Amino acid sequence: MIQHLAAFLVVFATLAAVTLAAAVWIRRTSFGGGASTLLIGAGICAAICYAAFWAWFLHPAAGAAWTILVLAMSAWSVWRARREVRVIAREVDLCRPMLALLVVGLGYLGLLHLFSSSLGIDQLSAARFFDFLGVDNEIPRLFAERLRTNTSPRQLLGDWLSSDRPPLQTGVILFAWPVARVLRLDFVAAAHAAGMWLQLLWIPAVWAFLRGAGLRARSTTTLVALCATTNLCVLHSLYVWPKLGAAAFALGAFTLYANRARRSAAGLAAAGMFAALACLAHGGAAFSLLALAVMAVFWRPWPVPRALLAGLLVAAVLLAPWFAYQRFYEPPGNRLLKWHLGGVVPPDGRGTWETLSAAYRAAGWKNSLDAKLANVRLLFGGNHAQWLQFRPSQAAARRVDQFYFFFHALGVWNFALLLAPFAWWRTRAHADSGVRATRLGAGLLWIALTLALWCGLMFTAQSTFIHQGSLAANLLLFPLAFVFAAALGRWFFGALVLLHLAMFATTWLAATPATRGPLSAGAALVATAAAAALLGLIALRDRAPLAAEQL
């Protein structure tokens, strides 16, 4: 665990330095920062890591030089603005979510290594909560390994092409690697730590949304900490296929667009950047981005053409190189599209539209409609009696249902969701609390549209398992359920919190057969210290609330 812990701290410090330099720049531009300061800064850092992917693709020397250049410029920028940095570092919307990201990451590392195991890091993260989840979490590292050793990435793994999976996490791994190499850290440990950083961006994404919805910093910290104990965030932050990172960027795009005051050229440029980064992390985010596009058609005020063009241009600049890679370097790069939207799993030479047309002609309209309805029904699957069942002997069955089924994963928070209309009305009636009911309602509509598009576009019946869609819907639904529960009363919220924590402790702390070794005292100490630090963050007092234009 020590090697893994050291790698996480080094990777975090490397990427935090770039993020802080980006935050300094944000404060001096029309981006404005505010509640989204860390989110936009992390997005810029991710875009820089994406550029690192292309530098390494050209040559490892170019990739290492890019990291050195960016870190040198970041250090120079922070040094020149050191007085401003002291002020920024004390701002609650930068320091608190950044500390939460560090603390939650350390807590997750403790949870991952809680039981001694001979498994490697990638295998451990795949077997920590289930018998085995497969090698999907290793694909970004394998891609990075090819570029690191100046080896062609073609035919990456089995019959999977390098063009089948977007490259953003590979870029994050490669950007941090020169620093980790100088410190003689293990490449696998550094790669997993980089993947964790990308997934943990759900923290600034949720933070920005809740603060934009009018919640105070202390309440937001509490709800972020509660999110950290959900099955969604625990599993997908440690099993580092880039689905949760993509969800964070999709939520970032929604949050930025939801702020009507930010629909300027700079604001939509940032939203376009996040939309592109979501696609470059994992294609499943497309369902949520399509839902946002549908909402944008009817969501007044419309941005001026100049602002809309800025957003589209930024997205196009980021996406074009990867589309060119798929089209010219290792075509066709459309396997996942044909799999999920056309039901064709084995690779073949047909184009995407040709495959989809043939699939729907063969199925007919009645079978196609039945498949969509089956997809809707699957959202409500699972044994719902498990919501109030805490026996450790049934932990494995509960983990399976929480992994696969959309509403089942919400657990006892479904009770708050069922009462959401009443909670939303109470929030709207108590406008003096500062919470923006319209922002919460927009979030619910975005989730509903995401689910509708997901169920309608997936070709195969009963294919709407959580991991085959956009995790952005799950990521936002948890904090919305928390807010609605709190609006219904402290006692109701407190009761659900206790039930939720009992479920988390009895379901996700236990070992699986592959990880049933002796309890690691060091890992337990790290996890306990992280939990205590998170409680300390919650206990911090609020400062003055942000002005509306800062949210």
Side-chain angles (χ1 to χ4, degrees), residues 170-231:
T170 298
V172 177
I173 294 169
L174 291 170
F175 180 81
W177 171 238
V179 180
R181 180 174 56 185
V182 168
L183 297 176
R184 298 184 178 181
L185 296 174
D186 177 63
F187 179 73
V188 175
H192 189 271
M196 280 188 66
W197 177 86
L198 182 64
Q199 314 318 312
L200 286 168
L201 294 185
W202 68 260
I203 292 174
V206 170
W207 179 278
F209 175 83
L210 292 175
R211 291 284 278 158
L215 274 72
R216 289 181 173 270
R218 189 173 187 179
S219 300
T220 301
T221 308
T222 302
L223 299 190
V224 166
L226 201 53
C227 280
T229 62
T230 61
N231 50 77

Side-chain angles (χ1 to χ4, degrees), residues 231-254:
N231 50 77
L232 176 80
C233 294
V234 170
L235 173 62
H236 296 283
S237 294
L238 288 172
Y239 185 72
V240 290
W241 48 6
K243 296 175 184 284
L244 193 55
F249 290 126
L251 179 54
F254 173 80

